[in-house]
Amino acid sequence: MSNLEMSTKHLLGIKYITQNDINLIFNTAENFKEIINRPIKKVPSLRDITIANLFFENSTRTKISFELAEKRLSADVVNFSASGSSVKKGETLLDTVNNILSMKVDMVVMRHPAPGAHFFLSNHVDVNIINAGDGTHEHPTQALLDAFSMREKIGDLKGKKIVIVGDILHSRVALSNIFCLKKLGAHVKVCGPPTLIPKHISALGVEIEYDIEKALAWCDVANVLRIQLERQNTKYIPSLREYSLHYGVKKKMLDRLDHEIVIMHPGPINRGIELDSDVADSEHSIILDQVENGVAVRMAVLYLLAGKRNLAKS
Ligand code: CP
């Protein structure tokens, strides 16, 4: 297989793509980033291709970013949100998707609360599936845009030290980041309260640090995550106030460091809980660069997978 082709027809998770796929996405995204900074931001690459964005869970960044990426590539776009749809009348996922596909849709971008929903779909329908987040499992395009943004800021990630801070247990961003960063040769630590660190996470080749100040002193980049209260049926931390006290990233912590550090966050930020405003808005932060890069990275994913449209399932 050529190095200019993705190894898969779908993007179900970072776990299932290769290092070559990731580098191919990055190289393609660099070209698209240059294009979308021109006065005329649109290219005809996906003209006559129809993409359905199916969001069964809330989103601001990912939904808008995919839609803009599709429109910049000249695709036809349809948007579906579970709220206000016939899902509320009991329609199954497969019935919903098959009905939408019968209107001649070529590719599906989907966010769904059930881990593995995309695998299920990919075994039942014959279009490209792109995972825009599946429950607590993976959020592959977020990890790609995170790594792309890190690379842009600090260069080749091989040997670089990255810490992922916060609610690792419930975070699809954490898992996709770990897979992506390890494939690119970075050293990865996770940091958070013991109750929010999965028991067997070291099997993924990451180290655990429970002390936020030690984690910040070690790393080149801190990717700070949100506490996902909506996915927590039991109490994992005594209170948000205590979480913030022990794990919130504060300006005074950065001022004490003897080296440069990059602060990232996938959004949405809970200001004053995992990240203080004077950190989120500081010169250390590349949070809005992440959002900007998301469009170019998603354009690259859509463009490369569209090239695999007529191939057998892989
Ligand atoms: N980062 C991210 O997935 O944000 P949204 O939930 O707003 O899409």
Side-chain angles (χ1 to χ4, degrees):
M1 185 181 304
S2 148
N3 280 354
L4 295 175
E5 236 181 56
M6 291 284 287
S7 65
T8 64
K9 175 183 173 181
H10 309 292
L11 180 59
L12 302 178
I14 300 290
K15 186 175 181 183
Y16 312 102
I17 63 173
T18 64
Q19 186 189 25
N20 179 60
D21 291 332
I22 296 170
N23 286 322
L24 177 59
I25 291 167
F26 287 175
N27 293 339
T28 311
E30 275 172 6
N31 292 331
F32 283 131
K33 183 165 179 178
E34 190 266 316
I35 288 169
I36 60 179
N37 278 291
R38 292 180 192 165
I40 297 170
K41 303 171 174 63
K42 226 167 158 166
V43 286
S45 313
L46 297 193
R47 203 173 53 199
D48 297 331
I49 293 193
T50 304
I51 305 176
N53 299 317
L54 313 182
F55 279 74
F56 292 83
E57 224 187 45
N58 295 342
S59 170
T60 298
R61 279 147 291 270
T62 312
K63 193 172 177 185
I64 292 174
S65 180
F66 265 113
E67 187 173 345
L68 275 177
E70 291 152 3
K71 288 179 170 168
R72 302 273 191 254
L73 291 167
S74 304
D76 291 321
V77 179
V78 285
N79 290 308
F80 165 93
S81 293
S83 58
S85 77
S86 291
V87 169
K88 299 290 170 205
K89 301 175 195 165
E91 190 165 55
T92 66
L93 171 62
L94 196 51
D95 279 341
T96 300
V97 174
N98 273 330
N99 275 271
I100 291 170
L101 293 185
S102 69
M103 296 183 237
K104 308 299 174 210
V105 164
D106 301 295
M107 302 174 82
V108 163
V109 172
M110 185 169 82
R111 171 170 287 190
H112 199 280
H118 302 75
F119 276 94
F120 169 76
L121 256 198
S122 70
N123 286 323
H124 290 87
V125 300
D126 196 26
V127 297
N128 309 84
I129 311 282
I130 298 170
N131 183 353
D134 61 331
T136 55
H137 180 222
E138 280 226 38
H139 191 348
T141 56
Q142 181 68 46
L144 289 167
L145 75 88
D146 286 348
F148 182 87
S149 304
M150 287 179 207
R151 203 181 72 142
E152 196 175 61
K153 188 73 182 172
I154 62 169
D156 187 356
L157 297 185
K158 194 168 168 47
K160 296 288 184 342
K161 297 172 183 168
I162 320 292
V163 66
I164 307 170
V165 182
D167 185 356
I168 313 298
L169 186 66
H170 299 98
S171 174
R172 55 194 175 207
V173 175
L175 191 58
S176 287
N177 258 264
I178 289 167
F179 287 136
C180 191
L181 294 168
K182 295 297 293 180
K183 284 183 189 204
L184 294 173
H187 298 301
V188 183
K189 283 190 183 182
V190 292
C191 177
T195 49
L196 292 176
I197 305 282
K199 279 197 186 72
H200 303 294
I201 196 149
S202 51
L204 299 179
V206 305
E207 292 175 54
I208 302 170
E209 173 59 69
Y210 296 113
D211 182 321
I212 182 67
E213 298 231 30
K214 283 187 186 163
L216 295 174
W218 171 81
C219 72
D220 300 302
V221 178
N223 199 356
V224 183
L225 308 178
R226 182 173 67 88
I227 296 289
Q228 303 204 16
L229 288 176
E230 75 276 20
R231 298 194 204 279
Q232 300 181 11
N233 294 325
T234 49
K235 259 192 167 317
Y236 291 85
I237 49 173
S239 69
L240 286 178
R241 211 169 100 78
E242 274 162 284
Y243 178 82
S244 174
L245 208 58
H246 294 287
Y247 287 97
V249 178
K250 299 167 191 71
K251 179 78 165 41
K252 65 181 181 200
M253 294 175 176
L254 303 191
D255 291 342
R256 283 199 281 266
L257 298 175
D258 61 3
H259 67 284
E260 285 297 312
I261 186 171
V262 177
I263 298 290
M264 302 177 65
H265 194 300
I269 304 172
N270 290 137
R271 287 175 181 262
I273 298 175
E274 68 268 13
L275 207 53
D276 277 0
S277 277
D278 54 3
V279 175
D281 304 329
S282 71
E283 72 281 6
H284 302 283
S285 165
I286 59 164
I287 293 170
L288 292 179
D289 299 325
Q290 291 172 257
V291 179
E292 179 186 345
N293 287 333
V295 177
V297 166
R298 290 181 172 115
M299 285 173 79
V301 168
L302 292 161
Y303 172 77
L304 291 166
L305 292 182
K308 310 277 291 182
R309 253 182 334 128
N310 297 320
L311 301 181
K313 280 183 191 172
S314 52

